[in-house]
Amino acid sequence: MTDASAGGETTASPVDAASRSPFATRDGFVDDGSGVAAHYGELIREQRRLSQGGAVVDLSSRGVLTVTGPDRLSWLNSLTSQSLVGLAPGASAETLLLDANGRLEHAVRLVDDGETAWLLVDGDETEPLRAWLDRMRFMLRVEVADRSGDVATLGSMHEIADADGITPLTSNGVAIVWVDPWHDVVAGGHSYADSESHPGREWSYRETLVARDDLAALAGSSATVPELAGTLALEALRIEAWRPRLTTEVDERSIPHELDWMRSAVHLSKGCYRGQETVAKVHNIGHPPRRLVMLHLDGSDGVLPARGADVVLPAAPADAFGRPAESPSGPEAVAPSATPTVVGHVTSVALHHELGPVALALVKRTTPETAALAVVADDIVVAASQEVIVPSSAGAAAGVPRLPRLGAVRR
């Protein structure tokens, strides 16, 4: 089966027929492996229509949890990275659940309606997050429920209205629509990327909840609305906006700083939560060990690398004696090698309708920011130019001078 995230088509779905999208009957439907459409046969056109606010993406394979009870926001505030106390009904937030060492475990898109907190998560997160939250209730006045069976998610770059033929789910008089805060640095957050030139400023993404029965009725209608785009179209636009996603960018070592996730999901002065010490220490006096970059890939071979493909510093040209001819510059430069040096891996890849083949990748912090990189796709080495998202200098915001090691001799 070809990896749909790399722009290929899946020939079969690992989900049973009952879990497939009701839009699976639409012409051109190609399953992305989770039961929803990777595309409907017109990938580039779908991207354009989605970017223009003219299409919606079926994300019904994603999960929806609810937390009810008067303690819900203060409880979630104490567990996660964002300041949630006082969140107004209908307002959107993003928050992260970290382990004790500050590593990412869950990412939550949250809307509160005044009585219920709606937690939107990627499908594989749903049950583990529900079970963990349920164990952490103790004596607090909160109840956790999985609503994925009766509520579904639609993604779009515009506000869904009657013209789309879709009625958003309403709870306590509030339409449950999550508007992505990525377009700006949230209060209490911090962006390591250049905010003025950040492509996320044009990112107008939102997720709208609908009743699953309504979604099935809509899919079975003979009407032409809504116009649909697949998940590959959304992935391409997400990569363009430098927007991290838990399912793709995160591994067992990831911390928020590496992905510039401090921009939208971390409040640096909200108080204690699990992993907060690492967040503060790396931001104030340390540096994240890796950094997110965007790669513009050479498309001349017609190859899109798979997620997880090695990112390398190509071998340096040799001099007459067979030694690398180039010399490193700067105190932390990586010395040239006669063979390619692995410096990271691809996390997401797509064929963008304007930019061509692009990818997000995590590389070592010490990888030179001006270096030409390459990605190994099977036996083909694909040249790649890097666009810096998280700079090598990220962190050390407190400006505390480094003390010499005990016994070190100054010259």
Side-chain angles (χ1 to χ4, degrees), residues 173-223:
V174 175
I176 309 303
V177 179
W178 179 77
V179 179
D180 194 343
W182 187 251
H183 57 83
D184 204 354
V185 183
V186 299
H190 182 91
S191 180
Y192 293 127
D194 183 353
S195 292
E196 291 303 315
S197 60
H198 200 295
R201 293 171 67 89
E202 306 300 321
W203 178 248
S204 59
Y205 179 66
R206 62 197 63 216
E207 292 182 355
T208 301
L209 296 191
V210 298
R212 274 192 187 271
D213 289 345
D214 290 350
L215 194 66
L218 182 67
S221 171
S222 59

Side-chain angles (χ1 to χ4, degrees), residues 155-180:
S156 67
M157 296 294 174
H158 68 291
E159 183 177 354
I160 290 177
D162 292 342
D164 297 289
I166 300 168
T167 302
L169 182 75
T170 300
S171 176
N172 197 33
V174 175
I176 309 303
V177 179
W178 179 77
V179 179
D180 194 343

Side-chain angles (χ1 to χ4, degrees), residues 94-151:
E94 183 180 32
T95 193
L96 306 173
L97 181 65
L98 311 176
D99 70 10
N101 295 312
R103 297 187 178 94
L104 283 152
E105 291 191 336
H106 296 284
V108 176
R109 305 175 291 281
L110 187 148
V111 181
D112 191 81
D113 65 21
E115 291 184 351
T116 301
W118 296 81
L119 280 57
L120 285 59
V121 296
D122 290 352
D124 290 344
E125 289 186 80
T126 311
E127 178 52 27
L129 179 58
R130 185 211 62 77
W132 189 86
L133 290 173
D134 206 44
R135 291 196 302 269
M136 298 300 292
R137 290 186 302 141
F138 303 116
M139 300 298 291
L140 294 172
R141 297 169 296 171
V142 293
E143 294 293 335
V144 181
D146 184 353
R147 296 290 303 275
S148 307
D150 62 296
V151 176

Side-chain angles (χ1 to χ4, degrees), residues 206-358:
R206 62 197 63 216
E207 292 182 355
T208 301
L209 296 191
V210 298
R212 274 192 187 271
D213 289 345
D214 290 350
L215 194 66
L218 182 67
S221 171
S222 59
T224 57
V225 293
E227 187 164 342
L228 297 172
T231 55
L232 289 182
L234 179 58
E235 282 294 280
L237 300 183
R238 180 183 67 81
I239 292 170
E240 178 191 18
W242 302 350
R243 200 351 168 171
R245 183 181 171 206
L246 186 101
T247 302
T248 51
E249 272 62 62
V250 173
D251 59 25
E252 69 281 355
R253 296 187 291 144
S254 298
I255 59 176
H257 318 65
E258 297 176 327
L259 306 171
D260 205 27
W261 225 331
M262 317 278 283
R263 176 184 180 86
S264 61
V266 175
H267 196 291
L268 287 167
S269 57
K270 60 162 287 209
C272 293
Y273 55 92
R274 192 171 67 160
Q276 183 266 343
E277 183 178 357
T278 296
V279 170
K281 184 180 294 184
V282 173
H283 178 65
N284 288 311
I285 61 176
H287 296 286
R290 299 177 297 178
R291 58 185 185 85
L292 190 67
V293 299
M294 179 174 170
L295 300 178
H296 295 265
L297 304 170
D298 179 7
S300 57
D301 288 313
V303 174
L304 273 181
R307 179 172 179 261
D310 285 342
V311 178
V312 301
L313 279 171
D319 61 16
F321 300 97
R323 299 171 301 194
E326 298 179 0
S327 300
S329 60
E332 296 180 332
V334 176
S337 170
T339 58
T341 302
V342 176
V343 294
H345 68 276
V346 169
T347 61
S348 300
V349 63
L351 181 63
H352 190 274
H353 69 103
E354 291 180 339
L355 302 177
V358 292

